[in-house]
Amino acid sequence: MNELAKRVFVGVPAAAFFIWMIWLGGGAFQITIFAILLITVWEVHRMMQKTGFSDFFPISLIFVLLVWNPDFMPQWLNLSIAAAAALLTVIAVISKHSETSVRWLSTLFTGVYPALGFVMLINIRELGSSIEGFWLTMSLMLMIWGNDVFAYFGGKSFGKHKLAPNISPKKTWEGFGFGFLGAAVGFLIAFYAAASYPLELWTLVPAVLIVSIAGPLGDISASRIKRIADVKDSSSILPGHGGFFDRFDSMILSAPFIFFYFYALL
């Protein structure tokens, strides 16, 4: 089975299951996202170990809980952890012990960066009514998938100018441009598939710009980490796709911006 066939064979049922979870929303969606988040954090931790800048993994998991902010955690504990995280960040930045400083920053990145993206995805799902939240979340995912597909085939067919040759040699400026078109197609699918989309059609333009810039930046950032760690994928959990960090790297950086954009419009 070639690489593209393997990606389709795994990706189509995985996408169908994910869409079903988005449709269900509520606890089912949150549990699914939390499980994916924990695996993603584990993948990032493993890569950090291979970079030589290993995090303090138990503390990274505490940061995950802080960002996730479950109901069973009292507010005083959240505030205490947040204060400690801020203090540790300051200490890491000003510390003369470079190894300790890097490990603390790695700890913060491992625990906070993926968690923030997935929590914002849940926040998008909870915007407006249940059906509105579904279509807003689908808008984001369809824009990301459309951007990815169009960038891949556009770059493969017309790519000549490297976008980030030292980090991700296969990415081209031509593929980057086609990604905007793919994101627009993804948004339009959600817009016209919904019986009553919660936003006006003109909101497509800023949304496409956000996803088509933040998404590739998230992808390139993940590629940079993998290159330093000297690994092809974050893990091999998803045949043909690598790991969950590989699949959600664009979403992780896009979701916070899209959430605040949608929130400001509703």
Side-chain angles (χ1 to χ4, degrees):
M1 186 182 296
N2 63 41
E3 194 66 21
L4 180 58
K6 190 185 296 184
R7 287 170 68 93
V8 172
F9 183 76
V10 174
V12 171
F17 172 78
F18 194 71
I19 291 171
W20 180 44
M21 288 296 103
I22 296 173
W23 172 257
L24 292 178
F29 184 56
Q30 292 185 25
I31 291 171
T32 301
I33 292 300
F34 190 63
I36 293 173
L37 168 59
L38 290 179
I39 296 172
T40 303
V41 170
W42 170 74
E43 291 174 344
V44 175
H45 162 67
R46 288 176 68 250
M47 289 191 295
M48 287 300 180
Q49 284 183 312
K50 294 179 180 180
T51 65
F53 306 124
S54 181
D55 55 78
F56 299 107
F57 191 54
I59 298 178
S60 292
L61 292 177
I62 292 175
F63 288 149
V64 169
L65 277 180
L66 172 65
V67 176
W68 191 262
N69 192 20
D71 293 336
F72 65 80
M73 286 182 67
Q75 190 63 25
W76 66 266
L77 182 57
N78 283 332
L79 293 174
S80 298
I81 297 175
L87 179 61
L88 290 172
T89 304
V90 172
I91 293 173
V93 170
I94 67 176
S95 174
K96 295 181 180 180
H97 302 285
S98 58
E99 182 178 348
T100 302
S101 175
V102 169
R103 287 198 69 185
W104 275 119
L105 292 175
S106 177
T107 299
L108 286 168
F109 177 83
T110 301
V112 174
Y113 179 68
L116 186 61
F118 283 108
V119 166
M120 288 300 178
L121 182 64
I122 288 176
N123 288 343
I124 294 170
R125 179 62 184 87
E126 295 178 349
L127 286 172
S129 66
S130 179
I131 191 64
E132 288 175 339
F134 170 76
W135 284 115
L136 291 172
T137 308
M138 282 303 302
S139 297
L140 172 61
M141 299 313 302
L142 288 170
M143 282 191 290
I144 290 172
W145 294 337
N147 179 275
D148 188 42
V149 170
F150 275 63
Y152 176 79
F153 287 105
K156 198 174 181 66
S157 302
F158 304 101
K160 294 182 179 180
H161 303 88
K162 301 296 184 183
L163 177 62
N166 296 325
I167 300 174
S168 188
K170 293 183 179 180
K171 285 184 170 49
T172 63
W173 281 104
E174 290 81 4
F176 177 74
F178 270 91
F180 284 80
L181 177 60
V185 170
F187 187 99
L188 288 172
I189 290 173
F191 185 87
Y192 287 109
S196 179
Y197 193 80
L199 300 175
E200 298 292 333
L201 183 58
W202 68 264
T203 58
L204 171 151
V205 177
V208 166
L209 290 174
I210 291 170
V211 169
S212 299
I213 294 173
L217 281 176
D219 192 350
I220 290 172
S221 299
S223 296
R224 176 61 175 165
I225 296 171
K226 288 184 285 187
R227 182 165 288 274
I228 296 173
D230 194 26
V231 295
K232 181 178 181 293
D233 300 310
S234 58
S235 76
S236 57
I237 289 176
L238 302 170
H241 293 266
F244 282 105
F245 188 57
D246 299 306
R247 288 302 86 213
F248 287 95
D249 51 11
S250 297
M251 185 283 297
I252 288 171
L253 192 57
S254 298
F257 294 102
I258 285 292
F259 167 73
F260 287 112
Y261 174 60
F262 285 167
Y263 180 80
L265 293 174
L266 291 175

